[in-house]
Amino acid sequence: MTQSHASNIKPITERDANVLYQHGTLAQLVPGLLEGTTTIGELLTHGDTGIGTGEGLDGELIILDGIAYKVGPSGVAEVVPDDFTLPFASVHRAAFQYQCQRSDIGLEELNKKIVAANGRANTFFSVIVHGTFSFIKTRAVIKQQAPYPTLEQVADQQAMFLGHDVKGTMLGYFSPLMFNGAAVAGFHEHFLSDDHTIGGHVLDAVLERGDILSQVFDTLVQHLPVDDPDYRSHDFSNDPIAAALAKAEREPRKD
Amino acid sequence: MTQSHASNIKPITERDANVLYQHGTLAQLVPGLLEGTTTIGELLTHGDTGIGTGEGLDGELIILDGIAYKVGPSGVAEVVPDDFTLPFASVHRAAFQYQCQRSDIGLEELNKKIVAANGRANTFFSVIVHGTFSFIKTRAVIKQQAPYPTLEQVADQQAMFLGHDVKGTMLGYFSPLMFNGAAVAGFHEHFLSDDHTIGGHVLDAVLERGDILSQVFDTLVQHLPVDDPDYRSHDFSNDPIAAALAKAEREPRKD
């Protein structure tokens, strides 16, 4: 076997394909620890596929085929540079396996069927759905400035987007119950339309027709911002982590 | 730089020294998922230092300098072979840094001072204490047979050991609050006397005089037994994880 030195593309080993890399924890966002403590450039050394949010909740990130897109309050996706910083992200090397095709199914039902089909509620895995969505509802938080507010305080500072008959990709991560806090237990899904005009954190969807692919991980590599002074000194013991994550991940703003 | 092919000893890179490897989660032990899903041989590829328990809670394991010792109901340590299986273990490559020497200090006070000294309640780290313990209280659970009982049901099936003026090593891992379940939040410490006649899971101790060394990790590599049928099918949502771990990690048997 020969190796091309002109290419950065590395073959995916079985070992790589089983690993989910996460920087930061979702629990950090609850009390407003929103400083960017890693970069897109660094994340891309751990995977070509992922989701995250920028410093100060600057947009909803989705990484597909090694390119990082950010959806901010305009709803339109833009490519972000390697030095863009993030407090939280999940990435992996794509080696998805085809699971099935589904039609006319809502998000909740779709997610239930995915868990049932692979019987893996205690395992980290990723799901990618590409197809036509008859309905998609996403949101993007508006970027905050330091000193940062809590996650609950930014609940009314979101832009929400509704799309109909949209072709696009929904990328999600499923985390087991016992890792709630590090991630959000259950699914965490971001979206990007093929034409990049709509995307963000998925609140609801109806899939008209699409292919479901999944990738199971046996290993979580959890990297923490251990030298960030705000992270080091924060007392998490009184933060309402579980309640705040459940609310923030699924509910749109109340207005 | 030349490499010796006659030696298995690999130099520790900065990257290796920052990584804590964990197989399984402590939460699995609560409902009695006690099947051995990794081996000492496999664990030793991820580190030379660590703690764990054998299949069916077969002893309290401590790995020092690449050698795995088990303390069972006799209280005496024996070396275990590479094919010994475990449901749970934490290991890393030792690169401890000297912190201080302490005298005449109880376990609780010692642990508090260690956290205060390095200011790292939100970071995984390891602590190793070598010295003379004027008092040490340890326990070892008695090995269970399948179908396995819950952690609470084995509370009265422990052997407890008391030592006075014992020279030995206490090895512990500190886990942040938000990873309670994956590990036990706070300290989890095992002991081995220099003469191997007493060891186990530390319940209490008074250090007469000893050296404190610590090693901080920025990364947790969490490996899950994703293909174990009992693990895959278990519903953790009703297990009293936090309460059972707090009780099991610190309290001796009630009798």
Side-chain angles (χ1 to χ4, degrees), chain A residues 25 27 118-120 122-124 177-179 182 217-224 226-227 231-232 234 236-237, chain B residues 25 27 118-120 122-123 177-179 182 217-224 226-227 231-232 234 236-237:
Chain A
T25 63
N118 67 18
R120 288 193 177 276
N122 298 322
T123 303
F124 290 94
L177 186 61
M178 78 186 73
F179 290 89
F217 311 112
D218 66 13
T219 300
L220 168 71
V221 173
Q222 173 68 63
H223 183 253
L224 295 173
V226 297
D227 292 325
Y231 176 73
R232 279 182 67 161
H234 185 76
F236 285 91
S237 60
Chain B
T25 62
N118 67 17
R120 288 192 177 278
N122 298 322
T123 302
L177 185 60
M178 78 186 74
F179 291 88
F217 310 112
D218 65 14
T219 300
L220 168 71
V221 173
Q222 172 67 64
H223 182 253
L224 295 173
V226 298
D227 293 325
Y231 176 72
R232 278 183 66 162
H234 185 75
F236 285 92
S237 60

Side-chain angles (χ1 to χ4, degrees), chain B residues 186-216:
Chain B
F187 286 96
H188 182 180
E189 289 151 321
H190 285 194
F191 182 77
L192 181 67
S193 68
D194 286 358
D195 64 6
H196 298 181
T197 61
I198 178 171
H201 178 106
V202 178
L203 295 172
D204 201 0
V206 177
L207 178 66
E208 186 181 311
R209 178 184 291 268
D211 292 325
I212 322 292
L213 296 90
S214 71
Q215 183 172 349
V216 168

Side-chain angles (χ1 to χ4, degrees), chain A:
Chain A
M1 212 172 97
T2 59
Q3 271 194 310
S4 162
H5 289 279
S7 167
N8 283 321
I9 297 167
K10 288 192 295 187
I12 295 172
T13 65
E14 190 187 343
R15 185 64 259 160
D16 288 341
N18 291 333
V19 174
L20 169 62
Y21 177 90
Q22 188 165 286
H23 172 80
T25 63
L26 270 176
Q28 287 163 225
L29 309 187
V30 174
L33 296 169
L34 304 181
E35 188 162 299
T37 44
T38 191
T39 64
I40 288 292
E42 165 67 18
L43 286 169
L44 290 176
T45 68
H46 298 281
D48 50 29
T49 303
I51 63 176
T53 187
E55 176 166 278
L57 301 176
D58 181 12
E60 309 283 347
L61 276 283
I62 185 167
I63 302 172
L64 297 172
D65 295 325
I67 300 169
Y69 304 88
K70 179 183 88 168
V71 175
S74 74
V76 175
E78 53 179 299
V79 174
V80 293
D82 277 2
D83 61 357
F84 183 86
T85 68
L86 309 88
F88 176 80
S90 302
V91 302
H92 77 282
R93 295 188 202 287
F96 289 97
Q97 300 205 332
Y98 180 78
Q99 202 170 69
C100 63
Q101 191 175 77
R102 293 217 181 262
S103 302
D104 301 318
I105 185 166
L107 182 64
E108 199 176 331
E109 182 71 8
L110 175 63
N111 283 345
K112 269 189 202 159
K113 282 192 190 294
I114 289 168
V115 174
N118 67 18
R120 288 193 177 276
N122 298 322
T123 303
F124 290 94
F125 62 83
S126 179
V127 172
I128 198 161
V129 180
H130 187 255
T132 301
F133 293 77
S134 50
F135 173 67
I136 184 101
K137 179 160 78 170
T138 62
R139 70 109 199 270
V141 175
I142 293 163
K143 186 183 180 184
Q144 307 295 308
Q145 302 298 330
Y148 296 117
T150 68
L151 201 59
E152 194 170 5
Q153 286 164 345
V154 298
D156 59 352
Q157 297 181 50
Q158 306 179 14
M160 200 157 61
F161 315 108
L162 301 177
H164 294 274
D165 300 316
V166 180
K167 279 195 179 164
T169 302
M170 183 169 74
L171 171 67
Y173 290 96
F174 179 91
S175 301
L177 186 61
M178 78 186 73
F179 290 89
N180 196 39
V184 59
F187 286 95
H188 181 180
E189 291 152 320
H190 285 194
F191 182 77
L192 182 67
S193 68
D194 286 357
D195 64 6
H196 298 183
T197 59
I198 177 171
H201 179 105
V202 177
L203 294 172
D204 202 1
V206 178
L207 179 65
E208 187 181 310
R209 178 183 291 268
D211 292 325
I212 321 292
L213 295 91
S214 71
Q215 184 172 349
V216 169
F217 311 112
D218 66 13
T219 300
L220 168 71
V221 173
Q222 173 68 63
H223 183 253
L224 295 173
V226 297
D227 292 325
D228 180 62
D230 292 337
Y231 176 73
R232 279 182 67 161
S233 64
H234 185 76
D235 177 4
F236 285 91
S237 60
N238 295 313
D239 291 325
I241 306 288
L245 290 184
K247 194 173 158 73
E249 290 308 307
R250 282 290 167 233
E251 289 182 23
R253 59 181 173 181
K254 296 277 188 298
D255 56 6

